[in-house]
Amino acid sequence: MLYSEEILKTVKSESYVSPKVEKKHFGDKGYGLVARELIKKDEIVSISGGLILTEEQHEKIVESKGFGDYSYYIENGFLICPLNPEDPSDDWRMNHCCEPNCGVRGQIVFVALKDISIGEELTFDYAMTETNPDYSVNLQCNKSTCRKKFTGNDWKNPDIQKKYEGYMSLYIQSKIKNNEK
């Protein structure tokens, strides 16, 4: 099925980002998202879209080019990543924080965990989506609870599971429910 020119002209990205959100450059930290308007608790801030790849495809196409930061597992053996990992759509620009103001509802929907003020950066904890045990990143969120280093095993921490109950991806919630390690 081909989409009409009329529909394609109105689509700016493979994803949805609330009009209350805008991309901002944070110097050395790179890009992130900030609130342009007040965002209420549980309001949708973005819905990720992109390519669904097998692990093997992901290794060949994404990881081999150094763009593994812009992807996450949505099921055993399958990841979602932006159509263009060299210049991902705005929804892929949300940064990590150990005290985030956004969480995940379902697999690809990001919502506000609390009311978010104008100018406030939108953040989520990568433990809400990331399960790759080989993935890690040094953290600089400057919060008193900062873990200093994130790994793809952080979702296994019972304190993190409790903290984000109801706001971790369905994939991770099913792993927790099934007692997967």
Side-chain angles (χ1 to χ4, degrees), residues 165-181:
E165 187 173 1
Y167 290 99
M168 296 177 93
S169 75
L170 284 177
Y171 174 60
I172 291 178
Q173 289 181 47
S174 74
K175 289 175 88 59
I176 294 167
K177 182 181 174 186
N178 295 328
N179 244 349
E180 291 184 38
K181 301 292 178 207

Side-chain angles (χ1 to χ4, degrees), residues 83-97:
L83 290 178
N84 181 1
E86 291 182 68
D87 185 22
S89 55
D90 290 354
D91 67 296
W92 289 94
R93 299 292 189 169
M94 195 181 315
N95 290 315
H96 169 88
C97 185

Side-chain angles (χ1 to χ4, degrees), residues 3 81 88 156 158 177:
Y3 293 101
C81 64
K156 297 176 182 179
K177 182 181 174 186

Side-chain angles (χ1 to χ4, degrees), residues 46-110:
S46 69
I47 303 173
S48 295
L51 292 175
I52 307 299
L53 301 174
T54 65
E55 285 177 312
E56 294 79 21
Q57 291 171 316
H58 186 263
E59 285 176 20
K60 284 183 191 173
I61 299 168
V62 179
E63 287 180 34
S64 68
K65 294 185 174 144
F67 300 119
D69 289 347
Y70 295 115
S71 59
Y72 58 90
Y73 280 87
I74 55 171
E75 190 53 63
N76 285 327
F78 294 92
L79 297 97
I80 186 170
C81 64
L83 290 178
N84 181 1
E86 291 182 68
D87 185 22
S89 55
D90 290 354
D91 67 296
W92 289 94
R93 299 292 189 169
M94 195 181 315
N95 290 315
H96 169 88
C97 185
C98 292
E99 292 299 327
N101 53 20
C102 294
V104 181
R105 183 166 55 209
Q107 275 305 64
I108 58 172
V109 178
F110 289 81

Side-chain angles (χ1 to χ4, degrees), residues 98-100 125 145 147 158-165 167:
C98 292
E99 292 299 327
D125 190 323
T145 57
R147 298 191 301 274
D159 293 332
I160 289 175
Q161 292 174 5
K162 184 176 180 183
K163 181 178 182 177
Y164 302 132
E165 187 173 1
Y167 290 99

